[in-house]
Amino acid sequence: MSMFKIFDTAGSGMAAQSLRLNTVASNLANAESVSSTQQGAYRAKEPLFAAVKQRVEGAMADAGTVGVKVDGVTESQAAIPSRYEPGNPMADANGYVYGSNVNPVDELVNMISASRSYQNNVEVMNTTKQLMVKTLDLGK
């Protein structure tokens, strides 16, 4: 692997973690939203990641993972909670409102994990840059 591929790998990790942080922010912003129907209730978003393999002469290399890609963003299939609030203007005919299925504790854990992963990728880039500069200094 060339030294420059490290930047591609770390950069793809940073992009993936950035998307993860954005989905966490969206989920937390909608954690307390309510709807008059189960179908209209906010569902937590979850990003899907996959390893990117490097092609070597038309074949996939086993040790050639070169990063991560985003396969998409799905919605959580967890149950939608309902609350009996007949005075709420969003209540249905039976007096129920439907909340989001966002678990704020899970989202905070995801936020911390994504933030640390992002920081780790930044450190990889900084260390690689320092090693490249020191290698160039050897030629002086």
Side-chain angles (χ1 to χ4, degrees), residues 50-120:
V52 175
K53 300 282 187 176
Q54 180 181 23
R55 291 203 174 268
V56 177
E57 296 178 18
M60 297 297 271
D62 290 335
T65 52
V66 293
V68 64
K69 70 174 181 170
V70 178
D71 267 351
V73 178
T74 62
E75 290 185 343
S76 171
Q77 297 305 310
I80 299 293
S82 62
R83 296 188 304 259
Y84 184 69
E85 292 182 13
N88 191 321
M90 294 291 292
D92 63 7
N94 297 323
Y96 285 94
V97 292
Y98 301 91
S100 70
N101 63 354
V102 174
N103 183 340
V105 174
D106 287 347
E107 295 303 322
L108 291 174
V109 169
N110 276 335
M111 180 175 54
I112 292 168
S113 175
S115 176
R116 288 189 179 162
S117 293
Y118 190 93
Q119 289 171 346
N120 288 338

Side-chain angles (χ1 to χ4, degrees), residues 17-78:
Q17 296 308 324
S18 179
L19 174 75
R20 188 172 166 202
L21 283 168
N22 284 335
T23 58
V24 165
S26 175
N27 289 341
L28 287 173
N30 290 289
E32 296 299 320
S33 64
V34 293
S35 176
S36 57
T37 65
Q38 265 189 326
Q39 294 77 22
Y42 181 83
R43 293 187 176 273
K45 308 281 188 268
E46 300 168 346
L48 298 173
F49 301 126
V52 175
K53 300 282 187 176
Q54 180 181 23
R55 291 203 174 268
V56 177
E57 296 178 18
M60 297 297 271
D62 290 335
T65 52
V66 293
V68 64
K69 70 174 181 170
V70 178
D71 267 351
V73 178
T74 62
E75 290 185 343
S76 171
Q77 297 305 310

